[in-house]
Amino acid sequence: MSPILLQVIVGGLLLGAVYALFSSGLTLIWGMMNVVNFAHGDFVMLAMYVAFWTWAIIGGGPLLFTPLAAFALAVLGVVVYFGVVKPVMGGPMLAQMLGTFGLALFLRYSAFWAFTANFRTLPEDMIPGSFVVGGVRFEAAKVVAGIVALLLTIGLHLLLTKTRLGSRMLAVSEDRQAAMLMGIRPDRMQAIAWALAAGATGVAGALIATFFYVSPTVGETLAVIAFVVVSLGGFGSVPGALVAGLLIGVIESLSAFWIGAVYKDVLVYALFLVVLWVRPQGLFGKL
Amino acid sequence: MRKFAMAVTTALVMAGAGQVLAQGTVKIGAIYPLSGNAASAGQSSKAAIEMAVDIVNQDLLDLGDLAMAKGAGLTNMKGAKVEVVFADNQGTPAAGQSQALRLITEEKVAAIVGAYQSGITLTASAVAERYGIPFLTPESVATNLTERGFKWFFRATPITSDLAAAYIDFLKERRAAGKKIDSIAIVNENTEYGSSIAESLRKAFGANGFNVTMEIPYSANTSDVQPQVLQLKDKNPDLVIFVTYTSDAILYAKAMRSLNYRPTMMLADNAGFNDPAFVEQVGNLVEGVINRSAFAPGNPGTIPHRINEMFKAKTGRDLDDPSARAMMGMLVMCDAINRAGGTEPAKIQAALKATDLKVNQILTGYRGVKFDEKGQNILAFTLITQMHDGKYVPVWPAGQASAPVKDYVGWR
């Protein structure tokens, strides 16, 4: 295999890991509460701004701004749960969808107002350098993002399947009434789910900011992919998001390199439709 | 009671004053990408257009012969003030279309300027044509815009064929200077703007002994451009030409660095690579990139220099090329309305057709403004610039160059 082709595949895998990274929060919310968070992309955007401003104002690096973004977004997640999601949960399906959609627009245009439309970037050496293995170049910032994606996926999966907290959260998502009879407080569990999902999104946004541009509309660009990743992987499945993210990343890169950049989305969405046709619940989803 | 009476009187007087003012204003619509992926460029154009309105409405004495600078307001219309109504095209042709409709039917504007992206100018100007309202694009370059047989459409900027001609003359000089330019790759975003430029360049280059060996169209609204950069790295053409908007331009600059790819010669066609946000954030990654510009601030004492100082005082940054062309376009429109002496669309249309601005009356590097029967400015012209220490400086033609051409460096 030629080094340049290997480079394309490695680039696709790293890109896919990034896709998985910012999709995990979306799939978690769905898995816990059957709510599609249309504001997810804008959560990522806000986390990117937390990273940018932390650097711009106090000169903090990723070790400072990643936890900070996770914390800020977790708080936002709880606020959004009690302020937007909980009130509309009892309403019709459409109200739930439009609730988070409205939130998305509110966050996006608030960002325009507060941060202006200017594109911003963190300096190139935030997570410095790149290294070459076997003629293939690995960009450190993306390698870090990829590793964190993997750890985050494993962590969230273990939390949901192996801990008492996870069992309680799953219980609430399965049968709210029965969970209440068991002495579980559904509000608390769901608020925790939002905090976790938004916090994970915060980590994702902060790390993506180290190699991507930041602008109020960046969430729009990323959110579309997140929705594809989540439905391809299986709604609610965190490992599914990882596999789907990697798959999409590699397909995008290879098709863009071999056939041409304008055709990559055709291939990705064709695959997406085929998978939905054969397995409507997604690769790892349950019906 | 007395207080109440006073308040009522004040309100009445103010309402009256408002009416007088309203009679003395001419509304012009301006459609720009104020949100969406090109928002930073759109906001900069907005600031430039606001400055053009200030130039018209105030009596500025230090701007020499610049069109509309002398006298306050529209001097042929008893000093009527110009009011600009901005509309956000959100970066989509559909929004551009509906905003044009809103400006015409609800805001009742006398004329429209805009809309930055060629693909959006296409749809927005079609609405203006249907309603018979003059539409002037200061910056959209796609050739076909003026090939539609429209009667109400005018364009002040040079078009793709002008740009191609400038590039070819420039590249011929480079070749004569001993640079090898045997293979050329064009990487273009695939809407109206990028496709039109790519097609014009391919044709014009072919006819002049330059071979376009690779074409890479892509969608500007993308999250990843690494495969395109790797395609380039794989074939390593002598010259790479980028036709992009802003967010994708930033991604290219970053990807080229992370994949360690430095083309021998790199040329970017304006838009994305010229966005002040791009220059500010990642300009240091593309040192030596060649670009085009119709605006160069020039030396102290010149009008462009003074305009640049005013823009800097307003926004804190240098006036970029697309925004300079937006400002110029607005002045051209105001000049026409002033000569029309009223806001009837047909009068403005006739005045636009009779436009004849000389080189000393404009702030961009055009040789003047004069429209042909298709509405195209036949005196439009572009300079070639190059990124020198994070700033674009004119390097061609020789008479207007302020620095010699150097080789591509990329990042340090």
Side-chain angles (χ1 to χ4, degrees):
Chain A
M1 207 184 272
S2 75
I4 210 126
L5 190 61
L6 262 177
Q7 180 78 67
V8 174
I9 293 172
V10 166
L13 283 170
L14 289 176
L15 180 72
V18 173
Y19 286 174
L21 180 62
F22 67 69
S23 303
S24 57
L26 184 64
T27 203
L28 199 63
I29 292 289
W30 173 266
M32 292 295 100
M33 342 190 23
N34 288 5
V35 168
V36 179
N37 180 16
F38 282 103
H40 181 74
D42 300 276
F43 278 30
V44 178
M45 177 269 294
L46 287 179
M48 291 170 91
Y49 272 109
V50 172
F52 176 79
W53 288 116
T54 306
W55 168 76
I57 295 169
I58 57 168
L63 288 177
L64 176 65
F65 65 57
T66 310
L68 209 59
F71 177 73
L73 269 284
V75 172
L76 177 74
V78 174
V79 171
V80 165
Y81 172 68
F82 285 109
V84 179
V85 178
K86 195 174 167 233
V88 297
M89 279 296 278
M93 184 69 187
L94 194 64
Q96 294 178 26
M97 289 172 70
L98 294 181
T100 56
F101 191 68
L103 177 69
L105 295 179
F106 169 75
L107 293 176
R108 192 173 308 156
Y109 288 100
S110 301
F112 264 117
W113 170 71
F115 309 134
T116 75
N118 279 354
F119 288 90
R120 299 170 201 270
T121 55
L122 286 170
E124 287 289 299
D125 54 357
M126 210 80 269
I127 298 178
S130 53
F131 50 92
V132 179
V133 181
V136 177
R137 189 169 278 272
F138 291 79
E139 199 184 341
K142 283 189 183 161
V143 172
V144 169
I147 292 170
V148 172
L150 202 66
L151 293 179
L152 204 65
T153 305
I154 295 170
L156 286 174
H157 186 68
L158 290 180
L159 179 83
L160 287 182
T161 52
K162 303 280 183 226
T163 64
R164 282 175 63 91
L165 178 67
S167 311
R168 277 190 238 155
M169 284 162 68
L170 287 174
V172 171
S173 97
E174 233 161 69
D175 192 331
R176 196 181 163 95
Q177 296 297 329
M180 274 168 82
L181 291 176
M182 292 293 147
I184 301 171
R185 281 189 261 185
D187 262 353
R188 183 181 289 183
M189 287 304 123
Q190 298 196 314
I192 291 174
W194 271 86
L196 269 177
T201 309
V203 173
L207 289 176
I208 293 168
T210 60
F211 56 84
F212 212 74
Y213 62 84
V214 186
S215 86
T217 50
V218 67
E220 257 178 288
T221 307
L222 299 176
V224 179
I225 304 162
F227 284 109
V228 177
V229 167
V230 165
S231 38
L232 184 63
F235 270 102
S237 165
V238 177
L242 181 67
V243 173
L246 293 175
L247 199 62
I248 290 174
V250 172
I251 291 173
E252 266 192 10
S253 289
L254 280 176
S255 54
F257 183 75
W258 272 328
I259 317 173
V262 276
Y263 304 108
K264 68 177 183 189
D265 289 338
V266 178
L267 254 84
V268 167
Y269 287 103
L271 169 92
F272 175 59
L273 289 176
V274 168
V275 169
L276 287 192
W277 189 51
V278 183
R279 256 187 92 78
Q281 71 273 40
L283 294 172
F284 286 61
K286 297 186 200 76
L287 271 181
Chain B
M1 190 62 210
R2 187 185 286 170
K3 257 189 181 168
F4 174 75
M6 236 166 82
V8 169
T9 321
T10 319
L12 283 175
V13 169
M14 275 172 68
Q19 231 164 25
V20 172
L21 260 180
Q23 275 168 1
T25 38
V26 173
K27 276 189 181 179
I28 301 178
I31 305 176
Y32 279 88
L34 305 179
S35 66
N37 266 1
S40 62
Q43 296 286 356
S44 183
S45 295
K46 179 171 179 264
I49 285 179
E50 284 165 352
M51 213 180 107
V53 171
D54 289 345
I55 290 172
V56 174
N57 286 346
Q58 295 164 12
D59 188 10
L60 298 172
L61 298 169
D62 55 347
L63 289 172
D65 296 330
L66 183 69
M68 304 305 297
K70 287 204 184 88
L74 300 167
T75 46
N76 291 355
M77 296 168 69
K78 296 177 186 161
K81 300 283 188 237
V82 167
E83 183 197 336
V84 58
V85 184
F86 284 100
D88 179 10
N89 74 26
Q90 299 167 18
T92 73
Q97 195 172 12
S98 56
Q99 290 300 330
L101 191 64
R102 181 179 72 83
L103 288 174
I104 294 168
T105 58
E106 285 173 34
E107 297 286 348
K108 312 269 187 235
V109 296
I112 299 178
V113 297
Y116 190 75
Q117 296 100 328
S118 290
I120 302 177
T121 300
L122 188 82
T123 58
S125 60
V127 176
E129 184 75 11
R130 199 158 69 234
Y131 281 84
I133 295 290
F135 190 111
L136 182 141
T137 182
E139 66 284 284
S140 295
V141 296
T143 315
N144 63 344
L145 291 172
T146 37
E147 299 296 325
R148 296 174 294 174
F150 278 18
K151 295 186 179 64
W152 300 88
F153 185 72
F154 298 85
R155 165 154 63 185
T157 189
I159 55 173
T160 48
S161 49
D162 300 328
L163 309 175
Y167 290 149
I168 286 166
D169 288 347
F170 170 77
L171 290 174
K172 277 182 178 163
E173 279 182 23
R174 299 307 297 152
R175 201 178 242 179
K179 300 285 171 201
K180 180 168 151 298
I181 313 176
D182 294 339
S183 51
I184 299 174
I186 300 178
V187 185
N188 67 284
E189 67 87 26
N190 66 344
T191 70
E192 209 65 35
Y193 160 64
S195 314
S196 168
I197 295 263
E199 197 192 329
S200 299
L201 290 185
R202 185 186 347 101
K203 279 189 196 153
F205 279 16
N208 284 279
F210 289 98
N211 287 329
V212 175
T213 47
M214 231 180 147
E215 283 189 62
I216 308 179
Y218 69 94
S219 159
N221 192 9
T222 185
S223 54
D224 180 46
V225 299
Q226 297 217 28
Q228 290 95 295
V229 173
L230 288 170
Q231 280 178 309
L232 293 170
K233 196 175 179 180
D234 194 26
K235 298 278 189 308
N236 200 19
D238 299 330
L239 167 65
V240 179
I241 301 178
F242 283 101
V243 191
T244 70
Y245 285 124
T246 309
S247 59
D248 39 335
I250 294 176
L251 293 181
Y252 276 116
K254 283 179 163 280
M256 285 167 80
R257 183 194 155 139
S258 72
L259 295 168
N260 194 28
Y261 171 59
R262 300 174 209 249
T264 324
M265 194 186 294
M266 179 163 139
L267 193 155
D269 182 81
N270 203 265
F273 281 76
N274 241 14
D275 186 328
F278 175 91
V279 177
E280 222 166 86
Q281 301 289 323
V282 289
N284 59 344
L285 300 182
V286 291
E287 178 71 9
V289 66
I290 295 156
N291 209 318
R292 69 168 156 96
S293 173
F295 180 75
N299 299 319
T302 61
I303 296 176
H305 187 269
R306 175 81 193 107
I307 293 278
N308 191 46
E309 293 300 309
M310 286 167 69
F311 190 79
K312 240 191 205 166
K314 179 178 163 76
T315 63
R317 59 190 187 188
D318 285 315
L319 180 59
D320 57 292
D321 165 55
S323 305
R325 284 183 286 144
M327 193 187 293
M328 192 62 236
M330 187 67 181
L331 291 178
V332 171
M333 183 57 94
C334 293
D335 165 69
I337 295 174
N338 189 38
R339 279 183 292 104
T343 53
E344 297 82 2
K347 276 192 184 168
I348 299 175
Q349 180 196 35
L352 277 166
K353 281 183 176 167
T355 297
D356 187 8
L357 293 175
K358 305 295 183 203
V359 73
N360 56 331
Q361 292 178 284
I362 56 186
L363 62 97
T364 46
Y366 309 158
R367 285 155 181 170
V369 180
K370 194 171 191 166
F371 298 109
D372 65 11
E373 72 287 354
K374 289 174 180 171
Q376 172 59 36
N377 177 13
I378 50 172
L379 298 175
F381 185 71
T382 195
L383 311 172
I384 302 243
T385 59
Q386 191 174 36
M387 183 76 79
H388 284 199
D389 298 317
K391 248 187 172 171
Y392 282 113
V393 297
V395 292
W396 185 92
Q400 280 152 290
S402 64
V405 186
K406 62 178 187 180
D407 288 334
Y408 184 72
V409 179
W411 59 96
R412 292 182 208 275

